[in-house]
Every structure is written in structure tokens, then in C-alpha cells.
Amino acid sequence: MSENLFEWIGYAASLIVAISLVMSSIVKFRWINLLGSALFAVYGFLIQAWPVCFFNTAIVFINLYFLYKIYSKKDEFKIIKTSDKESLLHEFVNFNKKEIEKISPDFDFNLSHKDYNYFITRNMALVGLFLAHKESDGVLSIDLDFVTPQYRDFKNGSFLYQFLTDTFQKSGIKTLNAIGKTPAHQQYLKEMGFKNNGTDVFVKQI
């Protein structure tokens, strides 16, 4: 391999580590930092800079350890019913307005139009909000399925939809509709079992 290629590997590793530092999600930080550190370890090995190689190899194992702890940890989730009359709902929405607009640019902030309103807590931390309304008999339209950035690892959504399935079915709801405006939100909906109908509308049968 040429020395120029070695340098490019070092640049790429530096860029990946730098990207990891701006991740708001601890899971994304760990995975991206793991990749950057592994690349740095390879770079150190190729140029025989052993301190760089050994130090970044250690960081790889540190990231693996914390990722193992994250994925093996059994979190305690709760779904708490709320309403537009509760001030906490308005405070939560207002505080997270910019993040909400990122995933749902067309979100209607008139909260009185929602039929189903639930907070999601994780280890007693308020991490998410689910708002929806009945579109027609048997059809529920999801207005907002929001999780704060640092907790976006699909665990919240998996628990949410599993927990609410009985509630939806008892209300005669058989179909859930959701709008996926961004690639990240579309990927989330697919992970939650929604199917794309060819537009930005995603459908899930329960």
C-alpha cells in the first residue's frame, strides 16, 4: 500500500470520530465512534505507530463493552395517558418543537384535535409522546410518534406499539396510518412493522 493511501485512512478515521462527537444519540455515538476507532487502529498498524494502534484498539473494546450494556440492559417503560388539558403536555411539545418539526414538518400543534395522547417514560425519564386521532371506523391516523434524540434506539417504539395494540383493538381499530416525511422516520416506521404504500403514507395492520 502507498503512503498516500495510509494518510487517507487516517483522514477517514479522524472524520468518522469527529462525526461521532456530534451525535445526540448515545447509541449512534458508540457505533460511529467504534468504527472510527477501529479504522484508527488499522491506520496505526499500517504505519507501525503502535501507541495509536493499541490506544484505539482499547477504545474499540470500550465501545463494545458499553454497547453490550446498552443492548442487554432491561429498561422499564411506562405508557401514561395524558390530554390537551394537562400543562405538561404543552410544555413537552413546546420544549421539543424544533425536533418535532424535523420529523413531522406538517404537525398540527393544535393538541385538542387528538383522540389518543400518551407519554412514554423510560426508567422514569419522560422520553416520548404519541398522539393520534380516528380517521374513520377502524382507522387510526398517527399525528406524532416522537422520541427525544438521545433515546432513539427503537426500544421505545417497540414497547409502545406492543402495549397499545390491545387498546387499539378494543376500540375497534384495525389499521394505523402514519406519515413518513424524512428518511430516518421512514426507516423507523419500517422497523415498527409499517408498510409503505408508494407515497409518504405508511400503513400497519393490527
Side-chain angles (χ1 to χ4, degrees):
M1 290 188 183
S2 68
E3 291 186 4
N4 284 340
L5 180 58
F6 294 168
E7 287 185 8
W8 281 109
I9 292 174
Y11 291 143
S14 299
L15 178 62
I16 292 171
V17 170
I19 291 173
S20 75
L21 297 176
V22 301
M23 293 293 105
S24 56
S25 167
I26 189 63
V27 177
K28 289 181 180 179
F29 163 74
R30 288 294 177 189
W31 276 113
I32 297 174
N33 193 266
L34 170 64
L35 177 60
S37 300
L39 203 55
F40 254 131
V42 171
Y43 170 71
F45 175 80
L46 291 173
I47 66 171
Q48 296 186 337
W50 304 120
V52 173
C53 179
F54 294 145
F55 178 72
N56 282 280
T57 299
I59 294 176
V60 167
F61 283 103
I62 290 171
N63 279 315
L64 286 172
Y65 169 74
F66 280 103
L67 282 167
Y68 170 77
K69 287 189 68 176
I70 289 170
Y71 285 108
S72 62
K73 180 182 178 182
K74 292 186 177 180
D75 294 303
E76 182 179 348
F77 293 92
K78 288 186 182 298
I79 306 297
I80 303 172
K81 193 171 183 179
T82 183
S83 76
D84 65 294
K85 295 179 177 59
E86 293 189 22
S87 60
L88 181 58
L89 174 59
H90 294 273
E91 291 291 339
F92 183 83
V93 169
N94 289 334
F95 183 81
N96 293 286
K97 185 175 181 180
K98 289 184 178 179
E99 285 293 329
I100 290 172
E101 289 175 334
K102 286 181 184 178
I103 65 167
S104 185
D106 300 329
F107 177 66
D108 178 9
F109 284 90
N110 186 345
L111 303 180
S112 63
H113 295 166
K114 317 301 186 264
D115 300 314
Y116 293 84
N117 309 278
Y118 297 98
F119 283 127
I120 304 115
T121 68
R122 184 169 176 172
N123 302 321
M124 291 311 296
L126 181 54
V127 301
L129 178 64
F130 178 90
L131 304 173
H133 70 275
K134 275 190 175 181
E135 190 70 35
S136 60
D137 287 343
V139 178
L140 187 75
S141 285
I142 298 172
D143 298 294
L144 183 67
D145 180 359
F146 173 78
V147 174
T148 53
Q150 60 268 41
Y151 289 97
R152 291 176 186 167
D153 59 2
F154 301 123
K155 287 184 178 181
N156 305 285
S158 297
F159 179 83
L160 171 72
Y161 287 105
Q162 182 179 0
F163 180 89
L164 291 179
T165 294
D166 288 341
T167 300
F168 294 152
Q169 289 176 339
K170 289 175 182 177
S171 301
I173 295 167
K174 299 179 180 179
T175 304
L176 303 178
N177 289 338
I179 305 295
K181 288 287 187 179
T182 66
H185 191 52
Q186 290 172 359
Q187 181 60 36
Y188 166 78
L189 291 171
K190 290 176 183 177
E191 290 285 343
M192 295 302 108
F194 285 79
K195 305 296 183 183
N196 185 225
N197 69 356
T199 62
D200 57 1
V201 177
F202 287 72
V203 179
K204 178 181 175 72
Q205 304 296 330
I206 61 173

